[in-house]
Amino acid sequence: MGRITTMQKLFGLCILLSLFPMAIGWYAVTSFQKLTFDLNTLYNVHMKGLDQIRALNITVLRIVREEKNLIISDDEQEIEKYIQVLNGRYKEYDKLLQDLPNYYVTARGHELLAGITTAANEWRKVHDRVVELGKNVDPAANKEAQKLSSTLGNDTQRVLAQAIQAGVDSKLNTAKRLNDSSAAMYQQA
């Protein structure tokens, strides 16, 4: 009973050799699961977030364009048209700001989001004041609206643009890190 037969040796060797591919398979599956998770995060959080913040930036620029059109207009019908266009843009703007937290989920993301939100709120206060002054045909009020838009309005918009750019840069850097990590993992698997 102390001797191992050739059949037992072969059986033990078969078991040992079958464990090796199982270990490699397990490693490959876990690596590919991590790779899939990284790619899903890259797309669903970072690329969609980048698109969201890009859309916010474009919407702000469109609102500013309509603001400028409004404050130089001296025709009541044109003013009403610009106000209607602005109301539609506000809906886009509010929706984009509301959805932005879905794409900034880390502690650093929350900091960036707070900066964007604060800058957006400050800009919007000034913008609303400019629109209020500019939505009439009174030259004095329009002059005041133009001055406010070209001074404090531009300053608050610049701060908002910088906060948005910080959010964009963060998304791009994170996407690059995930891409580099996934590429290295793929090379090892």
Side-chain angles (χ1 to χ4, degrees), residues 2-189:
R3 286 188 48 159
I4 299 176
T5 66
T6 304
M7 187 59 96
Q8 290 172 328
K9 289 179 185 178
L10 287 175
F11 182 71
L13 185 59
C14 285
I15 289 177
L16 187 62
L17 289 176
S18 66
L19 290 176
F20 181 69
M22 284 176 36
I24 293 202
W26 176 79
Y27 175 76
V29 166
T30 56
S31 293
F32 284 126
Q33 283 176 338
K34 171 86 169 95
L35 184 62
T36 300
F37 177 77
D38 285 353
L39 290 175
N40 283 334
T41 301
L42 179 64
Y43 176 72
N44 290 317
V45 176
H46 301 295
M47 292 299 98
K48 284 184 176 179
L50 192 57
D51 185 56
Q52 187 84 0
I53 201 161
R54 175 204 55 82
L56 177 65
N57 193 37
I58 290 169
T59 300
V60 168
L61 293 174
R62 288 177 176 160
I63 289 172
V64 169
R65 183 186 67 217
E66 295 302 327
E67 170 193 297
K68 302 297 185 193
N69 290 338
L70 174 75
I71 63 177
I72 63 171
S73 179
D74 59 1
D75 181 288
E76 285 186 25
Q77 289 179 331
E78 280 186 4
I79 290 172
E80 187 58 38
K81 179 184 81 169
Y82 294 135
I83 288 174
Q84 288 176 356
V85 171
L86 279 170
N87 287 333
R89 296 282 185 222
Y90 295 151
K91 289 177 186 172
E92 293 173 33
Y93 172 84
D94 292 340
K95 174 99 172 84
L96 290 166
L97 266 181
Q98 178 185 358
D99 291 346
L100 209 53
N102 297 331
Y103 306 105
Y104 287 86
V105 295
T106 64
R108 174 70 178 134
H110 289 242
E111 289 174 21
L112 291 167
L113 185 59
I116 292 168
T117 303
T118 299
N121 290 338
E122 291 301 313
W123 168 76
R124 183 67 187 264
K125 287 178 197 171
V126 174
H127 166 76
D128 288 346
R129 180 71 181 134
V130 169
V131 169
E132 192 59 40
L133 289 168
K135 68 179 181 183
N136 62 64
V137 292
D138 176 26
N142 281 347
K143 189 88 166 155
E144 189 179 343
Q146 291 169 13
K147 183 176 181 183
L148 183 59
S149 176
S150 65
T151 56
L152 190 56
N154 282 344
D155 292 344
T156 55
Q157 184 192 358
R158 193 171 301 115
V159 170
L160 176 56
Q162 290 169 346
I164 287 173
Q165 188 59 50
V168 167
D169 292 345
S170 174
K171 288 287 174 204
L172 289 173
N173 288 335
T174 303
K176 181 176 179 351
R177 277 195 319 273
L178 273 175
N179 180 60
D180 292 348
S181 156
S182 295
M185 187 181 310
Y186 181 77
Q187 292 297 325
Q188 289 176 353

